Amino acid sequence: MFRKLVHTDHDWLLTVVRLVLGIVFFAHGAQKLLGWFGGAGFNATMDSFTHQMGIPAPLALVAIAAEFFGGLGLIVGLLGRVAAFGIICNMLVAVVMVHSHVGLFMNWYGNQQSEGFEYHLLAITLGLAVVVKGSGAFSCDHLLTRPSHESIRQVGRT
């Protein structure tokens, strides 16, 4: 079961998709969890999620963890499918609870109360590629599932 979860091909395009998604979500998660990159930090983010948006505290905590730890997992390619699935769920909830009433487009002119969901669709699509195909080349998942040198030698002898 674990082997199927982490199995991936040596695909460099998946590596690019995984890294871009991982870097973006690690940065967003670090803003929320640690206050890095101009973010509010954990307490302020939890307060905003729970009191202003009405998100239950356990779900707010899961959302922050999905972005931060999911981003890290994607960057190194460890349990990439799980990390991408967490980010997909996070983005789907964000679309439904916060952004769907605004429409597709970002708030370019500052005349809307929120942003549209175009960014979220892109993140969901990139995450879906990782869920379906795996972490790609240069990932911990690939290292965990590649054939050992011994099994390669045995195949060559038969």
Side-chain angles (χ1 to χ4, degrees):
M1 168 90 168
F2 176 76
R3 189 162 177 79
K4 285 184 178 183
L5 182 66
V6 297
H7 176 74
T8 188
D9 295 326
H10 190 75
D11 185 332
W12 64 269
L13 185 57
L14 285 172
T15 302
V16 172
V17 167
R18 172 180 53 82
L19 284 173
V20 168
L21 189 63
I23 290 167
V24 167
F25 275 90
F26 171 76
H28 279 272
Q31 287 178 315
K32 292 173 178 80
L33 183 65
L34 305 172
W36 291 2
F37 312 115
F42 182 74
N43 291 334
T45 301
M46 285 295 289
D47 184 59
S48 173
F49 280 9
T50 57
H51 294 106
Q52 294 174 11
M53 296 181 184
I55 299 170
L59 295 179
L61 183 61
V62 168
I64 294 168
E67 289 188 16
F68 184 79
F69 295 109
L72 278 176
L74 287 169
I75 289 169
V76 299
L78 181 62
L79 297 175
R81 285 185 169 95
V82 174
F85 180 75
I87 287 171
I88 290 170
C89 292
N90 196 6
M91 292 294 95
L92 287 171
V93 170
V95 167
V96 170
M97 291 190 69
V98 181
H99 302 280
S100 63
H101 73 280
V102 177
L104 177 64
F105 297 107
M106 294 175 59
N107 189 7
W108 289 103
Y109 303 107
N111 56 3
Q112 301 170 169
Q113 288 196 348
S114 183
E115 299 288 341
F117 55 87
E118 61 185 327
Y119 160 80
H120 304 82
L121 290 179
L122 292 171
I124 290 166
T125 303
L126 291 175
L128 188 59
V130 176
V131 167
V132 171
K133 300 294 280 178
S135 294
F138 312 111
S139 66
C140 292
D141 288 351
H142 187 263
L143 289 174
L144 290 170
T145 59
R146 69 180 181 181
S148 69
H149 294 295
E150 188 60 36
S151 63
I152 291 171
R153 278 191 229 131
Q154 288 177 356
V155 170
R157 291 181 188 162
T158 57

